[in-house]
Amino acid sequence: MWLIRKKVMMMIMEASKDSYPKEFGAFLRAHDNIIYEIALLPGTIQGNVHVIFPMYALPLDFTYVGSVHSHPSGVTLPSDEDLHMFSNTGPVHIIVGYPYNMENYSAYDRKGNPIRLEVI
């Protein structure tokens, strides 16, 4: 099970609201399965139905454990493109959906299987 600090989840929701109607995206940093920070990757491109991360700019840092991005549609299921990215970028991935409140999110493993994520 993964845990995420409440202030981090609130920051994700606010950043997603600010990016709306475009998708928001960032990387997750954790220690002992507790996500404590998001990291913005310079050069990330936001669109209405995509976020493109310049993966060559991701630093070698083992505290990066996955990604977070928003779905302006409100649906928090991963797309085929999401599943491809999940498989290459860590063990935990979060999708938040419009209207970006503390109840509209889902978490997945690198294969796209739902996992439990608790806000602490």
Side-chain angles (χ1 to χ4, degrees), residues 7-102:
K7 68 179 183 176
V8 174
M9 185 62 90
M10 291 172 60
M11 182 185 309
I12 290 166
M13 295 303 181
E14 289 302 315
S16 297
K17 287 177 189 175
D18 190 53
S19 296
Y20 184 83
K22 294 183 179 182
E23 288 192 9
F24 165 75
F27 285 87
L28 304 169
R29 296 183 78 192
H31 178 72
D32 291 335
N33 284 27
I34 300 173
I35 299 165
Y36 65 86
E37 186 175 68
I38 60 171
L40 303 176
L41 193 58
T44 297
I45 299 169
Q46 297 174 286
N48 291 342
V49 293
H50 67 276
V51 173
I52 300 172
F53 295 112
M55 297 305 289
Y56 61 85
L58 187 65
L60 291 176
D61 181 341
F62 295 109
T63 63
Y64 288 102
V65 295
S67 67
V68 60
H69 73 280
S70 65
H71 279 182
S73 68
V75 177
T76 60
L77 296 172
S79 66
D80 289 342
E81 293 80 9
D82 294 337
L83 294 173
H84 178 72
M85 190 207 37
F86 293 176
S87 70
N88 295 309
T89 54
V92 61
H93 301 276
I94 303 169
I95 300 175
V96 301
Y98 181 84
Y100 310 120
N101 56 43
M102 297 297 281

Side-chain angles (χ1 to χ4, degrees), residues 1-4 32-34 92 115-120:
M1 176 176 67
W2 286 87
L3 307 171
I4 185 168
D32 291 335
N33 284 27
I34 300 173
V92 61
I115 58 173
R116 187 162 174 231
L117 175 71
E118 183 178 330
V119 178
I120 57 170

